[in-house]
Amino acid sequence: MSLQDIVVYLEDIPEGASRLEYAAALAARFHSHLSAVFVADALELHRYSGFAVGTGIAHMLAHHSEQVRAAAARYRTLFEAALLQEELHGEWRISDRVWGEDLMIHARHADLAIVGPADGPSRRKTALSLSEDMIFASGRPTLLVPAAWRSERLADHIVIAWNASAEASRAVAGALPLLYSAKQVSVVVVPQAGLPVPDGIDPGRAIVRHLACHGVTADLFLLEGTDAGQVVVDFCTERDADLLVMGAYGHSKLSEAIFGGATRYVLRHAEIPILLAR
């Protein structure tokens, strides 16, 4: 059981290099093919841009294009060095589109897409962060990696936020290679948050049994609380988890949730990588 093909989306931001290092280390663990997509930041005109007229506009566009070329070249050098260091096969790509099918198509030809963290109160918005909802619509699992997350922390302890939803089921299916290679797997269920299952079915024990059929040993934790998002984040922090697996909806910047309002809370407060699917 393995991840054969991983794609990492990169931007010209300080934490871009650490995201690439994490993706390369993960690809090395599974001997995966690694593709890198450099997402070129579009030229954003500010309120003073109206003063650029005539040749000023041409100079402004030329300067922006040169910045994009220089950044792409810098990241390509880092990418090729990572392939060499980890002894990987890979492919370099550039995308000047941060929305829609042009962006999603790269993820649809991979087992896993790696991006940066979601928008949060203390997190700077970037061109790619505004596209996360589109990547979630790719039909592939998406892994959000926090800024400066250390590449040596490669999902040895994985937490599954389980509510028996179709989205959570897809997330677990997409995470199976990671779960299989993990040293510890914890399944967290928050019964008070409400689980859409009929009487007579224990969703926590059922998913633990399902994982066992795939050779994954998991511990089940039934936790109290009505705010499932906070319960899950607190559990991950207390247990020093390396990765959180959960289902999510992809509408309105993930404003909908797995356990009531849990997705929004988790994306805003979790400080570990999160693997999502919808």
Side-chain angles (χ1 to χ4, degrees), residues 158-233:
I158 301 178
V159 173
I160 299 173
W162 182 250
N163 72 335
S165 68
E167 290 75 21
S169 179
R170 294 188 190 101
V172 169
L176 275 176
L178 294 166
L179 294 168
Y180 187 76
S181 67
K183 296 178 180 178
Q184 182 179 0
V185 176
S186 302
V187 174
V188 172
V189 175
V190 187
Q192 289 176 277
L195 299 176
V197 295
D199 294 336
I201 295 181
D202 185 331
R205 294 187 183 278
I207 191 61
V208 168
R209 183 174 60 251
H210 170 69
L211 291 171
C213 292
H214 287 272
V216 177
T217 300
D219 298 313
L220 176 61
F221 296 86
L222 301 178
L223 303 182
E224 295 183 356
T226 56
D227 188 343
Q230 183 174 353
V231 171
V232 169
V233 169

Side-chain angles (χ1 to χ4, degrees), residues 89-110:
H89 295 289
E91 181 180 352
W92 173 259
R93 307 169 190 165
I94 297 180
S95 174
D96 58 359
R97 299 290 299 277
V98 297
W99 297 104
E101 296 293 317
D102 288 347
L103 187 68
M104 289 187 291
I105 197 67
H106 301 285
R108 287 178 178 164
H109 293 87

Side-chain angles (χ1 to χ4, degrees), residues 11-16 19 41 44 75 116-132 147 253:
E11 309 155 88
D12 185 22
I13 53 177
E15 57 266 31
R19 188 187 312 166
D41 195 3
E44 296 181 359
Y75 273 91
D119 294 340
S122 61
R123 293 167 182 161
R124 180 169 65 89
K125 293 186 187 300
T126 67
L128 188 54
S129 69
L130 300 177
S131 306
E132 288 163 2
K253 294 302 297 176

Side-chain angles (χ1 to χ4, degrees), residues 22 149 153-159 236 240-244 272-273:
Y22 181 89
W149 183 263
R153 293 194 63 179
L154 283 180
D156 286 329
H157 180 195
I158 301 178
V159 173
C236 290
D240 197 27
D242 301 309
L243 176 68
L244 172 62
I272 65 173

